[in-house]
Amino acid sequence: MNELLLIITLLVSFGGTLVFLKVFGKGGLFAWIGICTVLANIEVTILVHAFGMDQTLGNTLFAATFLATDILSEIYGKKDAGKGVLAGIFTNLSFILLSFMWVHYIPAEGDWASEFVRGLFSNTPRMLLSSLIAYVISEAIDVYLYHAWWNLTEKKTGSHTKMLWFRNNFSTLISQFVNIVIFNFGAFSGIYKFNELIAITASCYVIYVATSLLDTPFVYLARKIAYSEKE
């Protein structure tokens, strides 16, 4: 069941990126980055066993933000990719502030939700701060490497469009590794034992490797969508 749900989440996360691009254009990608950032920061609190290993959720949603950033780089350029990163940063900051206030409200007598909200978001500031730091650093690396690889492939092939798979995968695989290490050790140190944290980080990165490779067709589809819109 967990494996099936993860596959469905992957399809929704990546498919949603294309839908938001098709319907709303560049602004849709900014919006989707914000949506995925908030949902991933909630989902990451859940630990599941799937594909033979323990892993936190949120991996596919976080991967979708990298997919959206790479699409912005590919279609609209480095400046707009940077704006996509800023959209994620401001979303993270807003969520940190609002979720911090949620747990400090004094509930009314008839309230039933506050206990659950406090249970879910009591550790949110630490996790979101770790997420924010990991996001800022890894997304900056992703955008930088994407265009560095692009310059390299353009010199190598003489074409501005060839080897999209190369710049997409190798920018994402490196930046995702940085992201997962910073986030897991920042958010869960002291919560899980060190050997458990290593295992969770390794399993999460395996998922990131899979999602990074699987997002390549979606980047090609996004470019096709954008080019067809221009014609």
Side-chain angles (χ1 to χ4, degrees):
M1 190 63 178
N2 284 346
E3 288 80 2
L4 176 61
L5 289 172
L6 282 171
I7 292 169
I8 293 172
T9 302
L10 177 71
L11 293 175
V12 172
S13 301
F14 287 0
T17 310
L18 296 184
V19 171
F20 270 64
L21 171 65
K22 177 69 176 177
V23 178
F24 303 109
K26 179 170 57 179
L29 293 176
F30 296 152
W32 190 242
I33 287 171
I35 291 169
C36 289
T37 299
V38 171
L39 294 178
N41 280 316
I42 296 172
E43 197 179 51
V44 77
T45 59
I46 303 171
L47 182 69
V48 300
H49 187 82
F51 299 107
M53 53 191 170
D54 290 339
Q55 56 187 281
T56 55
L57 295 182
N59 295 324
T60 55
L61 287 166
F62 278 126
T65 67
F66 284 86
L67 170 62
T69 304
D70 285 353
I71 291 172
L72 284 167
S73 285
E74 182 68 26
I75 298 172
Y76 300 104
K78 190 174 183 178
K79 184 177 179 181
D80 284 313
K83 288 182 180 179
V85 175
L86 284 177
I89 292 171
F90 287 133
T91 302
N92 257 311
L93 289 172
S94 300
F95 189 48
I96 288 172
L97 177 61
L98 291 170
S99 62
F100 176 79
M101 291 190 290
W102 293 341
V103 300
H104 288 87
Y105 277 105
I106 300 171
E109 265 187 47
D111 173 79
W112 59 269
S114 292
E115 182 182 350
F116 299 101
V117 170
R118 286 194 179 98
L120 180 59
F121 294 107
S122 58
N123 289 321
T124 295
R126 174 184 171 181
M127 282 191 292
L128 285 182
L129 185 60
S130 299
S131 175
L132 178 60
I133 294 170
Y135 181 85
V136 171
I137 295 173
S138 60
E139 285 281 10
I141 291 172
D142 184 57
V143 172
Y144 172 80
L145 286 177
Y146 194 95
H147 290 274
W149 294 134
W150 201 342
N151 291 334
L152 180 66
T153 56
E154 189 169 4
K155 288 178 182 177
K156 181 88 173 172
T157 64
S159 170
H160 190 66
T161 57
K162 287 182 179 178
M163 296 188 74
L164 167 57
W165 62 270
F166 180 87
R167 54 184 175 269
N168 169 238
N169 284 316
F170 283 94
S171 61
T172 303
L173 286 170
I174 295 170
S175 57
Q176 289 279 34
F177 178 76
V178 174
N179 177 64
I180 198 64
V181 170
I182 293 175
F183 175 75
N184 275 4
F185 280 87
F188 301 120
S189 291
I191 297 175
Y192 298 113
K193 294 178 181 178
F194 183 77
N195 59 335
E196 292 176 332
L197 192 52
I198 291 290
I200 291 170
T201 301
S203 63
C204 286
Y205 188 62
V206 169
I207 298 298
Y208 273 139
V209 170
T211 55
S212 296
L213 296 175
L214 289 170
D215 81 355
T216 303
F218 290 87
V219 182
Y220 277 94
L221 285 171
R223 190 170 69 176
K224 187 174 182 180
I225 290 170
Y227 287 175
S228 65
E229 292 287 331
K230 292 177 182 178
E231 291 176 355

